[in-house]
């Protein structure tokens, strides 16, 4: 799987904390650009206004950089006679070996300066292009561009839970700039970090009002369930259009608010579709660089026919969504530093081999994790039930995104 990670966390957080500071936008960054979009891939026509001229934008301050890490490696479990699990039973599940990718992406503030969307704030996502990032960077940029244009030209309308691409251009140095409507400065990882810091502060204050504590917990539970609903709606929209996400994680979910008091206004949106895969049956024989890992894992899991490969790809997205669910169920309810995404993934996959009942027993014995356990215990263990289904070692037994949305934990019936 691919995980999006920030590369300059401190400066990125600094920009977020000072997001209300007004800096004049400047077009000086666009003086070396070409006048049209010329990615090395066929361009799909979008129905919405789409700007391919750099003069249609003004570029502001840099707000951060991020990259990708690959989580791959070897068989995680023993196999053969006398063992409870075999690699075949586990659908080719792997233990984690983390390696950093070579593509570094920069982010800038900006706005549309011409046309019907004049004044619309945007976030620029800048790929280094072939000179600095090689053919991989070029392929990622083209894939993200075409995936958004395909989705935004859908006859079913635009998905509310996906970020909106409003334009892009390529510079003379080969950098590829994608402009997304700015629907929020924070992501789910930012929210989880701030929530865990509040848990730490609250536990340091011995006189915290129990009534206020209960109200805060209830708000947090509502906020997180609504976030999960939005993420699964976005994923369901992708799958309904024969697209996989393939890099779903806390940094890939944009939030328009991180205030739990404003939970009723929360709209989570999926971004980072650079690794998206087309799973239409006519495209399943594609052996390109961005899909070879997915199909290799599908073969290892026993998915050989086109129907099985497609089912594996969709189930792979559900597994990533399950890991995201686990992250949001634990990190915001724990003190800062107690849990992080990779540690949680290792706990689930390696230590307890996806046995969520055993995981719960372990967490119950740790006072630092008790609030997370209580969250998943809602509805007589409905959270654990759903999480177990999404993380089922057999990809054939994982639910669809629509089935996840209809689960009693996700509908909010447990609150």
């Amino acid at each position: 799987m691919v995980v999006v990670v920030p590369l300059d966390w401190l400066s990125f957080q600094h920009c977020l904390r000072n997001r209300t500071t007004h800096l004049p936008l400047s077009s000086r960054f666009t003086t070396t650009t070409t006048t049209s979009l010329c990615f090395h891939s066929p361009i799909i026509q979008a129905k919405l206004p789409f700007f391919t001229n750099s003069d249609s934008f003004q570029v502001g301050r840099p707000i951060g950089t991020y990259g990708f890490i690959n989580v791959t490696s070897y068989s995680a479990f023993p196999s053969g006679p006398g063992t409870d699990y075999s690699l075949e039973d586990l659908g080719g599940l792997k233990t984690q070996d983390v390696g950093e990718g070579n593509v570094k992406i920069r982010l800038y503030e900006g706005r549309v300066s011409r046309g019907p969307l004049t004044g619309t704030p945007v976030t620029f996502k800048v790929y280094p292009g072939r000179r600095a990032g090689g053919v991989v960077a070029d392929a990622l940029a083209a894939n993200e561009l075409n995936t958004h244009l395909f989705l935004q030209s859908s006859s079913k309308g635009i998905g509310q839970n996906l970020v909106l691409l409003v334009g892009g251009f390529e510079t003379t140095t080969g950098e590829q700039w994608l402009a997304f409507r700015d629907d929020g400065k924070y992501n789910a990882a930012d929210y989880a970090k701030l929530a865990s810091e509040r848990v730490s502060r609250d536990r340091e204050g011995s006189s915290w009002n129990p009534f206020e504590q209960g109200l805060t917990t209830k708000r947090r539970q509502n906020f997180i369930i609504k976030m999960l609903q939005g993420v699964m709606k976005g994923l369901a929209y992708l799958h309904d259009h024969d697209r996989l996400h393939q890099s779903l994680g806390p940094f890939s979910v944009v939030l328009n608010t991180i205030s739990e008091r404003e939970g009723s206004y929360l709209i989570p949106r999926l971004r980072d579709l650079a690794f998206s895969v087309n799973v239409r049956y006519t495209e399943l024989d594609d052996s390109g660089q961005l899909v070879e890992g997915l199909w290799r894992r599908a073969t290892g899991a026993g998915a050989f026919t086109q129907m099985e490969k497609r089912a594996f790809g969709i189930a792979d997205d559900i597994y990533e969504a399950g890991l995201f669910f686990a992250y949001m169920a634990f990190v915001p309810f724990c003190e800062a530093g107690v849990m992080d995404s990779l540690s949680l993934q290792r706990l689930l996959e390696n230590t307890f081999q996806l046995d969520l009942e055993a995981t719960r027993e372990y967490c119950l014995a740790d006072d630092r994790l008790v609030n997370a356990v209580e969250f998943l215990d809602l509805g007589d263990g409905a959270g654990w039930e759903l999480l177990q289904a999404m993380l089922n070692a057999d990809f054939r037994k994982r639910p669809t995104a629509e089935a996840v949305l209809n689960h009693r934990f996700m509908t909010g019936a447990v609150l």
Side-chain angles (χ1 to χ4, degrees):
M1 64 181 290
V2 180
V3 181
V4 179
V5 294
L7 299 177
D8 57 345
W9 179 253
L10 292 178
S11 61
F12 188 54
Q13 286 296 99
H14 174 77
C15 289
L16 292 175
R17 281 195 292 267
N18 293 280
R19 66 191 187 284
T20 56
T21 303
H22 176 72
L23 293 179
L25 292 168
S26 169
S27 60
R28 67 183 183 279
F29 293 102
T30 64
T31 57
T32 61
T33 61
T34 60
T35 58
S36 63
L37 190 69
C38 50
F39 292 103
H40 307 284
S41 179
I43 302 302
I44 300 170
Q45 182 64 44
K47 292 182 177 180
L48 291 175
F50 187 80
F51 304 99
T52 61
N53 190 322
S54 62
D55 292 336
S56 298
F57 300 99
Q58 289 184 323
V59 181
R61 63 177 180 177
I63 56 175
T65 59
Y66 67 88
F68 305 97
I69 59 174
N70 296 309
V71 183
T72 57
S73 196
Y74 318 102
S75 170
F77 307 107
S79 60
T83 59
D84 294 329
Y85 301 97
S86 69
L87 185 59
E88 182 179 1
D89 293 335
L90 293 165
L93 197 65
K94 307 295 182 182
T95 191
Q96 300 85 38
D97 181 26
V98 180
E100 185 176 333
N102 294 322
V103 180
K104 306 297 187 295
I105 295 170
R106 307 194 312 277
L107 301 175
Y108 292 87
E109 288 182 343
R111 69 184 179 197
V112 179
S113 59
R114 294 184 181 180
L117 300 181
T118 297
T120 300
V122 298
T123 298
F124 290 105
K125 185 175 184 179
V126 184
Y127 284 90
R130 287 191 177 186
R131 295 185 188 179
V135 293
V136 173
D138 197 63
L140 291 174
N143 190 47
E144 185 159 18
L145 170 73
N146 276 324
T147 299
H148 277 283
L149 291 184
F150 168 76
L151 294 170
Q152 290 173 200
S153 64
S154 170
S155 60
K156 299 179 181 180
I158 298 172
Q160 183 187 32
N161 297 105
L162 299 177
V163 296
L164 184 69
L165 181 69
V166 298
F169 52 87
E170 184 176 41
T171 69
T172 55
T173 60
E175 288 188 339
Q176 303 183 49
W177 291 58
L178 298 180
F180 295 92
R181 188 178 65 189
D182 186 354
D183 288 312
K185 298 294 186 185
Y186 289 93
N187 56 54
D190 295 323
Y191 163 74
K193 182 176 184 292
L194 293 172
S196 65
E197 290 173 350
R198 285 197 293 268
V199 172
S200 297
R201 290 195 302 269
D202 292 339
R203 289 187 177 176
E204 289 174 359
S206 57
S207 61
W208 193 28
N209 188 323
F211 174 78
E212 182 64 27
Q213 180 181 6
L215 193 58
T216 298
T217 299
K218 182 63 68 175
R219 285 198 197 104
R220 186 157 301 164
Q221 292 172 346
N222 277 284
F223 189 90
I224 291 173
I225 287 180
K226 185 160 187 182
M227 185 193 305
L228 295 172
Q229 289 171 345
V231 168
M232 295 312 301
K233 286 177 182 177
L235 201 59
Y237 182 89
L238 286 174
H239 292 174
D240 189 47
H241 288 78
D242 296 315
R243 292 297 189 275
L244 306 180
H245 191 286
Q246 286 296 288
S247 60
L248 179 58
F251 293 102
S252 298
V253 179
V254 177
L255 307 178
N256 63 327
T257 179
I258 59 169
S259 171
E260 292 165 352
R261 295 177 181 272
E262 298 175 356
S264 59
Y265 304 104
L266 173 65
I267 303 177
R269 292 180 172 88
L270 301 183
R271 67 176 182 184
D272 299 322
L273 299 184
F275 291 91
S276 180
V277 176
N278 185 343
V279 288
R280 285 183 297 180
Y281 287 110
T282 56
E283 304 293 332
L284 289 174
D285 292 328
D286 182 14
S287 58
Q289 188 174 16
L290 299 182
V291 299
E292 59 182 2
L294 173 65
W295 300 143
R296 184 171 58 249
R297 288 186 289 110
T299 301
F304 300 106
T305 68
Q306 286 191 329
M307 185 174 295
E308 289 172 336
K309 288 171 66 176
R310 185 178 188 277
F312 177 86
I314 291 173
D316 200 50
D317 263 5
I318 296 298
Y319 188 89
E320 288 187 352
L323 292 176
F324 174 76
F325 176 16
Y327 177 91
M328 297 311 305
F330 276 86
V331 177
F333 293 100
C334 298
E335 293 184 61
V338 169
M339 190 66 74
D340 61 72
S341 58
L342 287 178
S343 297
L344 180 59
Q345 187 173 347
R346 291 186 178 113
L347 182 73
L348 294 169
E349 293 180 346
N350 296 350
T351 305
F352 294 106
Q353 302 183 5
L354 300 180
D355 183 341
L356 272 296
E357 184 176 347
T359 304
R360 181 182 180 277
E361 293 301 316
Y362 169 84
C363 294
L364 270 176
D366 190 335
D367 290 341
R368 301 174 302 171
L369 306 178
V370 65
N371 288 341
V373 173
E374 290 176 355
F375 177 53
L376 292 170
D377 277 350
L378 291 173
D380 195 23
W384 295 105
E385 176 186 276
L386 178 58
L387 192 56
Q388 182 71 80
M390 296 175 73
L391 297 180
N392 197 304
D394 185 350
F395 77 88
R396 300 170 185 84
K397 296 180 180 179
R398 293 174 202 154
T400 64
E402 288 290 349
V404 172
L405 281 168
N406 291 326
H407 190 274
R408 59 199 177 98
F409 186 85
M410 201 64 69
T411 62
V414 297
L415 294 173

